Structure formats: structure tokens, C-alpha cells
Amino acid sequence: QTFGPKLCTSDGRCSKPSEMLKDKELVGVFFSAQWCGYCVRFTPVLEAFYNIVRFHNKNKLEIVYVNSGDNMDNFEASTRS
């Protein structure tokens, strides 16, 4: 298992990584935390890139966000947009 037993989307849907990523050509892994200033500044740039790629080819790319933060509240705050 690369990512563990389940992955969850920002809207709370969870499933096995093999199910969620099965049609993706590329999978990026973004390690981030609310306490990391660089990460917080980079997130909107990554999100814009992701949206552009997904607009042109929905199955091309998926980004797996890995929370390196200290608690679940900070994680949930950082995944809301």
C-alpha cells in the first residue's frame, strides 16, 4: 500500500487509493502543514496548476495532499477552499 487503506477528498468522500487513483496518468504528492509558510503560499499556485490540467484532461493528474501538521483541525482548515 502506497498511501494506506484510504484516501479522502476535500469534500469528505473516502475510498481505497487503488479506486480513487485508478484512471490517473500522473499522481503528485504534496506534503504540507499550516505552520509551514512556504507550503501555505505554494498551495494556491499548485491549486491553479491542478485546475488548468484538470480542465484540459480530467484524468491526467491527481494530487495527494499529505498533512504534516499537528492536528486534524489544522488539516481540515487547510483543505477547505
Side-chain angles (χ1 to χ4, degrees):
Q1 292 179 345
T2 304
F3 294 109
K6 68 179 179 177
L7 291 176
C8 298
T9 62
S10 59
D11 63 2
R13 292 179 295 117
C14 298
S15 68
K16 294 178 182 179
S18 59
E19 294 286 320
M20 194 172 287
L21 303 173
K22 69 180 176 184
D23 296 327
K24 305 306 176 196
E25 293 178 35
L26 299 169
V27 176
V29 181
F30 178 47
F31 294 87
S32 184
Q34 278 298 104
W35 50 261
C36 172
Y38 171 79
C39 301
V40 171
R41 290 188 305 275
F42 179 71
T43 299
V45 175
L46 180 60
E47 182 179 7
F49 170 78
Y50 174 82
N51 289 334
I52 290 168
V53 172
R54 297 269 300 183
F55 176 79
H56 292 288
N57 185 342
K58 188 167 177 75
N59 289 323
K60 181 78 172 179
L61 173 68
E62 193 57 69
I63 303 292
V64 176
Y65 176 93
V66 179
N67 178 33
S68 299
D70 55 358
N71 66 53
M72 201 61 181
D73 290 336
N74 286 342
F75 167 71
E76 289 171 353
S78 69
T79 57
R80 279 185 234 126
S81 21

